Amino acid sequence: MLYTNNSNKMFFLFILFFSTMIVISANSWLSCWIGLEINLLSFIPLMSTPLNLLNSEASLKYFLTQSIASINFLFSIMFGLLLAKNFFFNNLMLILINSTLLVKMGSAPFHFWFPNVMEGLSWFNNFILMTWQKISPMILLSYCMNFNYMILIMILNVLIGTIGSFNQSSLRKLMAFSSINNLGWMISALLISKNLWLTYFLFYSMFLFIFCFIFYITNIFYINQLFNFNFNYYIKFTIMLNFLSLGGLPPFLGFFPKWLIINYLILNKFVITTFIFIMSSLIMLFVYIRIIYSSFMFYFIKLKWFKLFMKNNLIPSIYFLNAISLLGMILSTLFFF
């Protein structure tokens, strides 16, 4: 039974990757829509497990939200083709298509489903939702962007992602708002160039992989689990380094993609936007440092319900991931020489 379940998951995972390739390589809007639908229908079985009610609830929320977005997307492309000659309607349809794609990727101000869905998923599914599921809408967004609308959206993303991160006890919700914040950076990278977007996306995916991997092997879902006295101190140190890297603190690798975007924004005279982006990053760093400080300074003697499931053979991989976060910035700057 277990073998059958795993083989089914692998099958749907393959379709998930394949559907994204359909969207990227499609030459018509209808093909893009078909690719998005296949993507949705392949991710639902990966999300839902019969033994967990939260997973079922999350998959239902995800299905309803994505279905509404898909209907709006189909409506937009149909009317966009009919009214393409009229400039006003063309502009309106661009905004409508952009909005449906923003709903699909969980961007602000259409983000309300995103933290709730993430709260009910495993770390593996969260990783897919925060990285792979954003590729298709992002690629489609790059084809038809209303520039002024996108500027507003990326500022909203960084602000809402920052404000939403406060007072979160769940690490999954914190990562969801962090993803919304980073989505603002990704949209700004997309406005500048696709290569810059790809660079930022790859770096961000790597940091998310490190977090999801560590939280998965240590079985952590809430911030107060980091206070556990039985917790390996080196794992705490790893989480601290990667939180600082995700926040974009200069010595770490996480600063490199943000540095590139800030550079391009200043060159293009987006001074106020750059200021908002930098201030939001500082506030996100404050949120991360507060969690790190609490986990290092306060601890419970022993809590029976905080069990740590970690294999010793995974420790070398954590050493390697730490080395990437620490030394990656030094290596990345060599590209400029």
Side-chain angles (χ1 to χ4, degrees):
M1 179 69 187
L2 187 65
Y3 174 76
T4 313
N5 190 32
N6 285 339
S7 61
N8 284 342
K9 295 272 182 185
M10 286 301 293
F11 173 69
F12 285 117
L13 199 61
F14 170 74
I15 295 173
L16 186 81
F17 294 149
F18 185 67
S19 64
T20 304
M21 297 305 157
I22 291 171
V23 174
I24 292 168
S25 58
N27 61 354
S28 71
W29 284 109
L30 194 63
S31 307
C32 293
W33 176 76
I34 290 164
L36 287 170
E37 287 303 296
I38 295 167
N39 184 275
L40 164 64
L41 294 172
S42 59
F43 190 50
I44 296 291
L46 289 172
M47 292 170 78
S48 55
T49 51
L51 301 173
N52 193 337
L53 286 173
L54 274 175
N55 277 10
S56 304
E57 185 192 336
S59 57
L60 184 63
K61 282 177 183 173
Y62 183 77
F63 175 73
L64 290 171
T65 313
Q66 297 293 314
S67 300
I68 292 162
S70 293
I71 292 162
N72 286 340
F73 182 70
L74 192 60
F75 170 82
S76 304
I77 57 175
M78 282 168 62
F79 274 82
L81 290 170
L82 290 171
L83 305 167
K85 290 176 185 177
N86 189 313
F87 177 77
F88 174 75
F89 278 109
N90 191 24
N91 222 20
L92 197 66
M93 285 303 140
L94 266 184
I95 291 171
L96 196 55
I97 290 170
N98 289 351
S99 299
T100 55
L101 294 170
L102 292 170
V103 171
K104 276 200 164 288
M105 69 176 86
S107 167
F110 315 105
H111 66 284
F112 297 100
W113 63 273
F114 192 67
N116 293 328
V117 167
M118 274 193 65
E119 185 62 28
L121 298 182
S122 66
W123 283 116
F124 172 70
N125 287 329
N126 277 337
F127 175 69
I128 294 174
L129 187 61
M130 286 188 286
T131 56
W132 191 263
Q133 292 300 89
K134 284 183 168 49
I135 295 172
S136 303
M138 277 281 191
I139 294 291
L140 293 180
L141 196 63
S142 69
Y143 297 155
C144 57
M145 280 193 287
N146 185 300
F147 188 78
N148 295 329
Y149 183 57
M150 282 298 110
I151 294 285
L152 176 68
I153 291 295
M154 70 191 198
I155 291 168
L156 268 176
N157 267 303
V158 293
L159 291 176
I160 289 170
T162 306
I163 295 160
S165 301
F166 280 97
N167 298 328
Q168 292 297 341
S169 60
S170 167
L171 279 169
R172 285 177 290 192
K173 280 194 175 177
L174 180 71
M175 294 308 288
F177 282 108
S178 172
S179 181
I180 291 164
N181 178 270
N182 279 281
L183 202 55
W185 288 87
M186 277 193 267
I187 291 168
S188 66
L190 202 63
L191 285 170
I192 296 159
S193 107
K194 280 183 189 154
N195 288 336
L196 186 59
W197 169 77
L198 188 62
T199 307
Y200 193 96
F201 182 78
L202 289 172
F203 276 105
Y204 178 60
S205 299
M206 186 181 72
F207 299 134
L208 279 183
F209 172 75
I210 294 168
F211 271 111
C212 293
F213 178 68
I214 291 167
F215 292 148
Y216 169 72
I217 63 172
T218 52
N219 202 36
I220 290 175
F221 293 102
Y222 295 93
I223 289 167
N224 61 349
Q225 285 176 278
L226 294 170
F227 306 161
N228 193 2
F229 182 69
N230 296 333
F231 207 46
N232 188 338
Y233 208 73
Y234 186 73
I235 301 290
K236 280 189 181 183
F237 187 66
T238 305
I239 292 165
M240 180 196 80
L241 286 183
N242 288 296
F243 261 133
L244 294 175
S245 192
L246 186 68
L249 198 68
F252 301 98
L253 185 59
F255 176 65
F256 179 63
K258 291 188 176 181
W259 180 28
L260 291 175
I261 291 171
I262 288 165
N263 185 32
Y264 277 105
L265 285 172
I266 290 170
L267 284 173
N268 291 304
K269 305 289 189 294
F270 287 102
V271 182
I272 297 167
T273 310
T274 312
F275 175 75
I276 293 166
F277 273 44
I278 292 167
M279 289 309 293
S280 73
S281 279
L282 287 172
I283 298 165
M284 284 302 288
L285 264 173
F286 167 72
V287 172
Y288 296 149
I289 289 166
R290 195 172 57 172
I291 294 161
I292 296 158
Y293 180 79
S294 302
S295 68
F296 270 99
M297 299 305 291
F298 309 115
Y299 53 81
F300 304 136
I301 301 302
K302 190 174 181 182
L303 297 177
K304 289 181 181 177
W305 57 87
F306 289 165
K307 289 187 179 177
L308 187 62
F309 304 105
M310 198 177 76
K311 296 173 183 175
N312 289 327
N313 59 353
L314 292 170
I315 295 290
S317 59
I318 293 170
Y319 277 105
F320 175 69
L321 295 173
N322 255 1
I324 291 172
S325 280
L326 270 172
L327 304 172
M329 186 66 189
I330 301 159
L331 296 172
S332 64
T333 48
L334 294 176
F335 293 125
F336 292 97
F337 294 107

